[in-house]
Amino acid sequence: MKRVVVTGMGTVTPLGGDVVSFFAALLAGRSGIRKLEAPWAGSINAGIVAPVSEDIAGHFPKLKLISLDRVSQLSLLAARQAVAQAGIDFSGAHGEHCGIFWGTGMGGASTLESAYNDLLIHSAARLKPTTVVMVMNNASTGQISIEFNIRGPSYTYSSACSSSAVALGEAFRAIRFGLVKAAIAGGAEAMLTQGVIKSWESLQTLARVDAEHPETSCRPFSADRSGFVLGEGAAALILEEEGAAKARGATILAEITGYGNTTDATHITQPEASGQARAMRLALAEAGLMPEQVDHINAHGTGTRAGDLSETSAVRQVFGAQAKRIPICATKALHGHLMGATGAVEMLAAIETLRTRIVPPTAHLFHPDPECDLDYVSEGPRQLAKLDVVMSNSFGFGGNNAVIVARRYS
Amino acid sequence: MNSLQTVQQLLVEEFGLTPAQVHAEAALEELGVDSLATIECMFLLEDKFKIRFPGGDAVVIKTVGDIAREVDSLLAQQANAPAATDKPGHS
């Protein structure tokens, strides 16, 4: 078995367009949730989202944009940052032994919705010739391969909210088992379109707007929670086999040591604590760790009642008496629910937590819920003297649970 | 090539190429205009000139000038048979 290390990270989120600004915003408790700005905003009940506010398209030449949906643009920007930090070069024969593992829930949702509008509302006789290659869920994967000349295996995972956590986990396994030497892994989502938001609205999972402080509307583990806020973004990690990373003198940010993936097989949307607990146990088992060795959990923490109670119960099942000792944070309160991207974004946050030994707060936890009685770090960022092992939970509609464990590299 | 200037202007405005790049002999592939971008270009020209490219691979288009020649040819056919563009077959 190979050891798997992280040598580069990149992200574009509602909290900032790079790792440093993203993590600084988490520690500062700055929310990326804001009023929806769109001509059709009046049709949305909640009217708040967590958008990426910086210019994204401006990073690409016009000719390239012909075939890049926003999701692929976000993917490429995150991947560029990660590759730059890692200082890795995929050209030459090396690129044949490297892979791409990418997650997205809805792929090129914006292009698809535009196409339907053109066809059904505006009676267009034909659609953009690049519609298919912009919409397909593996568009980002293909675009990343082209930009970085990666020619080994490529996989695109779509398991709703756990998509990019699965991508990271599968990349970890591929390197661990010697199938590839390095990988770009992560995911992206860009689905803040009218049709998609209306669809989520109907599921009754979106947060009610706090009229006075809309940016605090997402409140994981708080008794007054009412759901999550849809967001967009991307995160990419460079995973490498330890020996290859060391041989080229790379700076190692963390080591991925375990991955658990389970399926509830109970309900298409309702979370199931036992399935989540099994995923955590599997990740710990692969990492060769006992529950008491975990120093921090980045929770899935969506801010729905069902999700909060289920995850709290699952943590209790796995960690027993230790559960209340572990500082847990739910960063979705600030960056929103980035769907297919959220697992990678939160894993990145967990690794920054590992590196800095500072746990970001669970923001907006104004009213403790007696049924959620763990340590959610609601008071603000917390510096820990010992923080060597982190766990990141991601649970998706469809019943998929993906858990990743990382540790300080030594 | 009566339409050359319009084709060049479109390539500059829509694809971000420079006027110097889009001379008549410039190979589309070398400009980064791949097969999908070429179709995008043709769709834009169809709207601009109210013409319909026949589709398929009967016409070989490799340079900027090839596009303009094809537009000119279709415009000439249209002038000779105005009803031709109303025929179904390309949508």
Side-chain angles (χ1 to χ4, degrees):
Chain A
M1 295 284 189
K2 313 284 187 187
R3 289 178 71 179
V4 182
V5 295
V6 180
T7 56
M9 302 198 294
T11 194
V12 184
T13 74
L15 298 180
D18 56 69
V19 174
V20 172
S21 59
F22 164 69
F23 197 67
L26 285 185
L27 296 186
R30 184 168 62 77
S31 175
I33 292 165
R34 62 202 64 174
K35 190 171 166 236
L36 173 64
E37 302 283 350
W40 39 266
S43 70
I44 307 294
N45 292 339
I48 51 170
V49 289
V52 170
S53 53
E54 68 177 75
D55 174 41
I56 298 301
H59 290 269
F60 303 92
K62 275 185 169 181
L63 193 51
K64 183 84 176 166
L65 286 173
I66 291 172
S67 52
L68 286 185
D69 181 88
R70 185 170 174 82
V71 74
S72 294
Q73 296 170 30
L74 291 168
S75 297
L76 285 170
L77 290 185
R80 283 176 187 177
Q81 293 173 25
V83 169
Q85 184 181 25
I88 192 168
D89 180 5
F90 297 103
S91 62
H94 180 59
E96 296 178 8
H97 304 286
C98 299
I100 302 156
F101 299 73
W102 207 248
T104 187
M106 301 190 73
S110 175
T111 300
L112 184 62
E113 192 153 320
S114 293
Y116 285 163
N117 279 336
D118 287 346
L119 191 65
L120 304 174
I121 306 297
H122 305 298
S123 302
R126 52 170 159 65
L127 300 175
K128 274 172 63 74
T130 49
T131 301
V132 169
V133 298
M134 293 169 81
V135 170
M136 61 190 194
N137 266 19
N138 65 323
S140 294
T141 311
Q143 295 292 352
I144 291 170
S145 77
I146 293 163
E147 177 146 335
F148 299 104
N149 202 20
I150 298 173
R151 285 151 289 139
S154 62
Y155 303 91
T156 305
Y157 302 91
S158 193
S159 55
C161 320
S162 64
S163 300
S164 55
V166 171
L168 285 169
E170 296 299 328
F172 157 71
R173 288 270 169 78
I175 297 170
R176 185 169 162 81
F177 295 154
L179 303 177
V180 295
K181 291 189 184 305
I184 296 184
E189 201 73 80
M191 49 169 226
L192 299 180
T193 69
Q194 186 180 18
V196 172
I197 297 176
K198 290 299 286 182
S199 300
W200 279 100
E201 195 175 274
S202 294
L203 264 175
Q204 314 297 319
T205 55
L206 299 186
R208 284 190 310 273
V209 183
D210 181 294
E212 207 170 329
H213 299 289
E215 73 281 5
T216 69
S217 299
C218 181
R219 300 172 179 179
F221 302 112
S222 184
D224 61 348
R225 73 174 79 72
S226 61
F228 53 80
V229 175
L230 291 172
E232 62 177 358
L237 277 72
I238 305 299
L239 305 189
E240 287 187 77
E241 188 273 314
E242 179 202 26
K246 285 169 76 173
R248 65 180 190 84
T251 299
I252 293 173
L253 306 175
E255 179 178 6
I256 307 286
T257 53
Y259 164 52
N261 187 322
T262 64
T263 307
D264 293 337
T266 49
H267 191 275
I268 202 71
T269 60
Q270 289 296 314
E272 170 62 45
S274 63
Q276 297 171 353
R278 281 192 297 121
M280 290 186 227
R281 287 195 183 103
L282 286 171
L284 288 174
E286 184 164 31
L289 293 169
M290 301 300 289
E292 55 267 30
Q293 291 177 277
V294 174
D295 298 315
H296 164 62
I297 299 173
N298 186 304
H300 186 55
T302 55
T304 64
R305 179 176 158 74
D308 286 358
L309 266 57
S310 175
E311 187 166 13
T312 297
S313 170
V315 170
R316 278 203 214 100
Q317 286 178 32
V318 175
F319 296 93
Q322 296 286 323
K324 290 191 176 184
R325 179 195 59 80
I326 303 171
I328 298 171
C329 74
T331 52
K332 285 186 180 74
L334 298 173
H335 56 64
H337 197 333
L338 309 185
M339 295 293 147
T342 218
V345 167
E346 289 160 29
M347 188 67 227
L348 185 150
I351 290 172
E352 282 300 283
T353 301
L354 185 70
R355 281 159 49 77
T356 60
R357 294 189 175 87
I358 306 175
V359 180
T362 296
H364 320 142
L365 204 169
F366 302 128
H367 302 285
D369 180 349
E371 293 185 83
C372 296
D373 57 352
L374 304 180
D375 178 3
Y376 304 106
V377 194
S378 60
E379 75 283 5
R382 188 186 300 171
Q383 178 93 49
L384 297 181
K386 177 187 176 295
L387 206 172
D388 296 324
V389 176
V390 296
M391 170 182 278
S392 183
N393 289 342
S394 297
F395 311 132
F397 277 0
N400 178 257
N401 308 300
V403 175
I404 299 174
V405 171
R407 67 184 304 165
R408 187 175 307 285
Y409 177 75
S410 59
Chain B
M1 290 188 283
N2 298 328
S3 66
L4 179 62
Q5 200 174 346
T6 307
V7 171
Q8 290 170 321
Q9 191 180 348
L10 184 145
L11 289 169
V12 170
E13 288 175 2
E14 300 293 333
F15 293 175
L17 299 170
T18 65
Q21 284 179 296
V22 295
H23 56 86
E25 291 76 33
L28 294 171
E29 195 177 327
E30 287 173 17
L31 295 177
V33 180
D34 64 8
S35 57
L36 294 171
T38 302
I39 301 171
E40 174 88 7
C41 175
M42 289 177 151
F43 280 10
L44 292 169
L45 290 167
E46 285 186 346
D47 293 342
K48 199 168 196 72
F49 289 106
K50 310 292 180 208
I51 55 175
R52 284 290 176 266
F53 288 98
D57 55 4
V59 180
V60 177
I61 292 183
K62 289 190 171 175
T63 66
V64 173
D66 287 344
I67 299 177
R69 269 186 287 276
E70 184 62 12
V71 171
D72 288 349
S73 165
L74 289 169
L75 286 171
Q77 286 175 32
Q78 189 172 291
N80 294 333
T85 54
D86 294 331
K87 285 182 183 174
H90 187 95
S91 60

